[in-house]
Amino acid sequence: MPVEASFLEGALIYLSAVLIVVPLFKRLGLGAVLGYLVAGMAIGPAGFGFIGDVEATLHFSEFGVVLLMFLIGLELNPKKLWDLRKPIFGLGTMQVAASVLLLTLAGILVGLSPVVALAAAVALAMSSTPVALQSLSDRGQSKSDMGQLTFSVLLFQDIAVIPVLALVPLIGMEAGDSGGGWLGALKVIAVIVLIVGGGRYLLRPVFRYIAATGLREVFTAFSLFLVIGTGLLMQQVGISMALGTFLAGVLLAESEYRRELELNIEPFKGLLLGLFFIAVGMSVDLSLVLEQPFLIAAAVLGLIAIKGVVLYMLGGMAGLMRQERILHAILLVQGGEFAFVLIALTSAAGLVPPELAAFLVVVATFSMLVTPIFLLVYDKILLPVFFKTEEPETDLEAKEDHIIIVGFGRFGQIIGRLLISLKFQVTVVDNDPNHIETLRKFGYKVYYGDGTRFDHLELAGVAKAKLVVLATDDKTALVETTQMLAKHFPHLPVLARAKNRRDLTDLLLAGVKGVRRETFASSLELGELALQELGYSAHQAYRTTQRFRLYDEKMLMASVRYKDDQKSLMEYSKRARGQLERLMGADHDEIYKQDKDW
Amino acid sequence: MSKILLIFAHPSPNRSKINRQLYCVANRLNHVATRDLYELYPNLSIDVDAEHEAILRADVLVFLFPVFWFSAPSLLKEWMDIVLTNGFAYGDGGTALEGKKFMLAVSSGGSAQSYTSEGLHGAEIETYLAPFYQTARYCKMELVEPFISFDGRSLDAEAIQQVIVNFEARLHELGGVTDAC
């Protein structure tokens, strides 16, 4: 055993390992996750042996997964979750069922008893949420169809774990204290009601009270309190902490303090997830690997082959393109943190013999280690070599002085058609694969990518662009991209679409050159038709609506000016409203007078 | 020193050989405020309040435009129609322009010769610009000798340069700026 390191010394070791290894891996293009894993192996018992108590670290850092699930929940409001019900229950069920079945058969084939084979299969069928989601967000594909599918499968696994966790003790040890069926369900409902009610009625005054103190750290403390509190509460009623906080996140997704919560939790999540990967790296039992290297390699490859095939087929059923199906399979092919939990549980219940349990843990860990390597192979070899012809973007030469349109939905298309008809060079960046297929069929030059990611914009040739038009409806993305562009290309003009007045203000402050509200112009035009119906002559209706537009825009610009000065803004609005009524009234009178005159 | 308000009307200034440059010269001068109508009002909807404010700040009003069909580009006529309103420019209490100086600065593609009784257009160019003068008179403005350049399409660079220098001198003179440097 190494010397017992104090808490701070331990922290110093973790942090130095991260500081040395992770930036190096990131720079080499190997990905942060692999960096953490290797850093863990280096400082763990198998490496230099700086840290002895791997178990405690792993346990502590699993809370990072809980925070991750909470943040994901915050991004998904109940409606979006409901929209995902089909992939979650349809494809999720299929993935788990098919993987478990095939893995069990494989286990029986290598001579395990059916029960043991089933237990091991269930443990290894689950994927690693942090590995998959971290890689997904590193690539900015969380919101793509493939990302949604990956997430749905992960979510179903989290749900599927509940009955498994409940069943294992029934077979082996005594049952937990989750209470019987009806009572348990009742408790769950009570907690959900508590969270929804609290989120709606209690959260606001508490947040406001805390905000009034002006102490940022109290805000952070409360955010953590909220997550840990709901997590423990959920665990109390028999839901896993990860799933519980995920639900809490979903329920709080509509809250106006969503952003604050996100900002406060985010750094903790990042650090703890890093710690989690380090702990996984540390827990690799290299002596076992040295004893049976071929057996372990064969088991890892077998696991990856079976799960990979299932996931690849699943991707096809979900209508993904070939390269996306491969990516989807790579992201979910590994065994995950549930494997550790389930193996520990089944081993403790006497279902799985201890030697096999240790073996399975190593297999799961190695499958996690292999995932980033597979991703690397996918990026560096598979994609460029095999999908070159299918992916025009890789050979898309960015033209001098071209115009980049980010987002090519109904809004971006009109701008694109206008510019293309005038023979401007237009490059489209969109992250909806289906969308892109259609556009390519019509001969558009489309680059598959995420407009909020600088490397994607770089690939699309932003350095040579003379104008960027942001036409997506994702406000956060719009603001982030604007800030990024303003930072890297201060002279590049950026035009943006805004959903409403508030977004318009934020975009202007972020540095866009021009911005238009997405429905304002068409509403005004319909208003103009309404005036015609009400007896205005065609031109007079046009003139009047243009006048309205002028004053509305003046008021809007003033509200941008007074953004941080509520009092002046109120005063101005009051004055402006009076002015508008007077002016529009005057216009009305004038028309009336002219009618009389002539 | 008098303040000059220069109203510029040219729908396609990138094709302009003279007007654009005259506008730019005016833009550089401290005592001249300029308003590029087609740039300010691309959809032809004029902000009357903003125009009134600009007029009230000025002592001299200058219209700068190329001759289109023996008159001004249409947005300048629209400007006159809706900015020079009853009660502001004329009629009851309409004294905003009273006593201010008014100058036309126009360039024509045609030659000076074509604007003679023997020429192609059969009359002096100022005959055709009469509506602008009468408008100014009706608003009780003081007319100043116009700044007119001919042969817009055929002048060489040197001649254009001379027109620009002359225009700048005229703006200094109008503003009462003695030291032209």
Side-chain angles (χ1 to χ4, degrees), chain A residues 521-538 540-542 544-545 588:
Chain A
S522 45
S523 301
L524 265 186
E525 282 179 19
L526 201 62
E528 189 186 324
L529 285 183
L531 288 184
Q532 287 188 35
E533 286 303 315
L534 294 169
Y536 278 58
S537 73
Q540 207 48 259
Y542 172 75
T544 308
T545 45
H588 188 261

Side-chain angles (χ1 to χ4, degrees), chain A residues 539 542-543 546-547 549-551 554 579 582-583 593, chain B residues 41 43-50 78 82 85-86:
Chain A
H539 184 66
Y542 172 75
R543 225 177 236 277
Q546 285 308 314
R547 179 174 296 203
R549 172 190 205 135
L550 189 71
Y551 283 96
K554 268 189 190 171
Q579 204 179 10
R582 186 175 54 75
L583 274 155
K593 204 179 91 213
Chain B
Y41 308 116
N43 66 357
L44 315 185
S45 295
I46 293 168
D47 182 349
V48 176
D49 284 355
E78 171 77 0
I82 74 167
T85 44
N86 190 348

Side-chain angles (χ1 to χ4, degrees), chain A residues 207-356:
Chain A
F207 261 121
R208 200 175 296 155
Y209 171 73
I210 291 170
T213 64
L215 296 170
R216 184 108 213 130
E217 66 275 13
V218 180
F219 220 92
T220 309
F222 179 65
S223 304
L224 280 175
F225 168 84
L226 204 67
V227 180
I228 298 176
T230 45
L232 287 175
L233 204 62
M234 287 299 201
Q235 206 177 30
Q236 206 64 49
V237 296
I239 299 179
S240 85
M241 241 196 179
L243 188 64
T245 46
F246 168 74
L247 276 180
V250 171
L251 297 173
L252 293 175
E254 310 267 79
S255 143
E256 58 186 299
Y257 285 99
R258 197 191 73 151
R259 256 227 101 74
E260 269 83 356
L261 279 171
E262 246 170 42
L263 284 175
N264 281 315
I265 303 285
E266 187 75 45
F268 293 98
K269 178 215 78 175
L271 280 175
L272 281 175
L273 266 190
L275 193 58
F276 173 76
F277 293 130
I278 290 179
V280 171
M282 290 196 303
S283 65
V284 176
D285 186 352
L286 280 181
S287 63
L288 201 63
V289 181
L290 290 176
E291 269 168 45
Q292 327 169 290
F294 297 111
L295 194 58
I296 286 179
V300 171
L301 286 178
L303 171 69
I304 287 173
I306 291 173
K307 282 178 80 175
V309 167
V310 170
L311 288 162
Y312 184 78
M313 307 290 269
L314 217 64
M317 291 167 83
L320 296 182
M321 291 185 299
R322 196 137 60 93
Q323 65 268 40
E324 282 184 311
R325 289 163 69 181
I326 295 174
L327 189 57
H328 169 70
I330 293 175
L331 285 171
L332 292 176
V333 84
Q334 73 296 105
E337 57 290 343
F338 282 127
F340 304 134
V341 178
L342 288 172
I343 291 166
L345 208 61
T346 46
S347 153
L351 273 172
V352 176
E355 317 83 66
L356 183 62

Side-chain angles (χ1 to χ4, degrees), chain A residues 39-59:
Chain A
M41 287 168 86
I43 62 172
F48 296 112
F50 291 141
I51 305 284
D53 195 358
V54 176
E55 198 66 28
T57 310
L58 192 62
H59 199 71

Side-chain angles (χ1 to χ4, degrees), chain A residues 313-421:
Chain A
M313 307 290 269
L314 217 64
M317 291 167 83
L320 296 182
M321 291 185 299
R322 196 137 60 93
Q323 65 268 40
E324 282 184 311
R325 289 163 69 181
I326 295 174
L327 189 57
H328 169 70
I330 293 175
L331 285 171
L332 292 176
V333 84
Q334 73 296 105
E337 57 290 343
F338 282 127
F340 304 134
V341 178
L342 288 172
I343 291 166
L345 208 61
T346 46
S347 153
L351 273 172
V352 176
E355 317 83 66
L356 183 62
F359 179 79
L360 289 176
V361 167
V362 171
V363 170
T365 312
F366 264 87
S367 67
M368 282 167 87
L369 269 173
V370 161
T371 305
I373 298 172
F374 274 23
L375 282 175
L376 202 65
V377 171
Y378 173 82
D379 281 340
K380 297 273 139 79
I381 300 171
L382 229 50
L383 211 51
V385 175
F386 294 103
F387 295 110
K388 198 168 177 180
T389 45
E390 278 185 35
E391 293 277 310
E393 71 267 19
T394 47
D395 55 294
L396 191 77
E397 279 280 306
K399 298 278 188 313
E400 285 296 328
D401 280 350
H402 66 145
I403 294 143
I404 295 183
I405 300 181
V406 178
F408 217 58
R410 292 184 302 156
F411 199 92
Q413 271 173 33
I414 296 173
I415 303 164
R417 279 170 48 207
L418 173 69
L419 296 180
I420 288 166
S421 73

Side-chain angles (χ1 to χ4, degrees), chain B residues 1 11 13 40 42 44 47 51 53 74 78 93 99-100 122 133 135 137 144 150 165 169 171 174 178-179 181:
Chain B
M1 196 173 77
L40 283 168
L44 315 185
D47 182 349
E51 296 304 313
E53 278 166 31
S74 60
E78 171 77 0
K100 294 189 199 298
Y133 291 129
T135 301
R137 267 185 232 107
V144 174
F150 293 102
V165 170
L171 288 178
L174 263 181
T178 41
D179 188 2
C181 301

